[in-house]
């Protein structure tokens, strides 16, 4: 049917139809090009989103490893502190035992007088005994 209609048309009408078809084809080519560019842009965005997601996962792994290292460090520090406190307590106990052996006859003196505690001065035990004796007038 279309073939008969085309046979009835004159040359000018046929050229006009061909011209319209070429214009339509050109518009379609431009539309295809713009759609392909939009598709490429979307693909690039998807790729970048994947890269960002991968980077986020990598950062999360790094931060997780850093947190584990910090936790381990704090645990080691607390263990070392506990051990140091045990050693200090043991040394203090031993020092008190030795001090008690050296002067078993002397009455037990307080470690510091109230005035010494307030001033921050720490005197050896034998000097504290001398100052007590002077205070009482027994020099």
């Amino acid at each position: 049917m279309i073939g008969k209609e085309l046979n009835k048309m004159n040359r000018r009408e046929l050229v006009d139809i061909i011209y319209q078809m070429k214009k339509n084809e050109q518009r379609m080519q431009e539309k295809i090009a713009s759609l392909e560019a939009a598709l490429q842009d979307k693909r690039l965005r998807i790729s970048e989103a994947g890269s960002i997601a991968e980077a986020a996962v990598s950062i999360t792994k790094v931060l997780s490893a850093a947190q584990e290292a910090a936790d381990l460090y704090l645990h080691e520090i607390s263990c070392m502190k506990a051990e140091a406190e045990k050693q200090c307590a043991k040394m203090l106990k031993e020092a008190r035992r030795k001090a008690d052996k050296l002067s078993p006859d002397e009455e037990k003196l307080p470690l510091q007088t109230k005035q010494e505690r307030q001033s921050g001065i720490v005197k050896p035990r034998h000097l504290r005994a001398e100052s007590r004796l002077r205070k009482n007038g027994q020099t």
Side-chain angles (χ1 to χ4, degrees), residues 72-115:
L72 180 62
Y73 176 75
L74 290 175
H75 177 72
E76 289 294 321
I77 293 295
S78 65
C79 288
M80 289 171 60
K81 179 185 174 197
E83 185 62 32
E85 287 174 347
K86 285 180 186 176
Q87 287 179 351
C88 287
K90 184 178 176 182
M91 288 170 48
L92 183 62
K93 185 178 178 181
E94 182 64 22
R96 284 185 178 155
R97 185 186 62 78
K98 284 182 181 180
D100 288 343
K101 272 186 178 180
L102 291 177
S103 57
D105 297 336
E106 288 183 20
E107 66 180 71
K108 301 288 182 192
L109 299 174
L111 291 178
Q112 286 182 322
T113 65
K114 183 177 180 181
Q115 188 178 25

Side-chain angles (χ1 to χ4, degrees), residues 5 12 20 22 26 34 53-54 71-73 78 89 112 124 129:
E5 289 177 9
R12 183 169 161 59
Q20 292 298 325
K22 281 290 188 184
Q26 190 176 20
S34 73
E54 290 170 4
D71 292 343
L72 180 62
Y73 176 75
S78 65
Q112 286 182 322

Side-chain angles (χ1 to χ4, degrees), residues 119-131:
S119 68
I121 299 172
V122 178
K123 291 183 181 178
R125 195 173 235 191
H126 70 280
L127 293 178
R128 283 192 297 238
E130 288 176 9
S131 64

Side-chain angles (χ1 to χ4, degrees), residues 26-90:
Q26 190 176 20
R27 275 188 307 212
M28 292 296 169
Q29 290 295 333
E30 289 171 359
K31 189 168 186 166
I32 287 172
S34 73
L35 289 173
E36 284 178 347
L39 179 62
Q40 183 61 27
D41 184 50
K42 287 190 184 229
R43 285 181 181 158
L44 183 61
R45 285 185 188 175
I46 289 170
S47 173
E48 287 175 353
S51 297
I52 291 171
E54 290 170 4
V57 168
S58 295
I59 289 172
T60 301
K61 288 179 182 177
V62 168
L63 293 176
S64 176
Q67 183 63 49
E68 287 177 16
D71 292 343
L72 180 62
Y73 176 75
L74 290 175
H75 177 72
E76 289 294 321
I77 293 295
S78 65
C79 288
M80 289 171 60
K81 179 185 174 197
E83 185 62 32
E85 287 174 347
K86 285 180 186 176
Q87 287 179 351
C88 287
K90 184 178 176 182

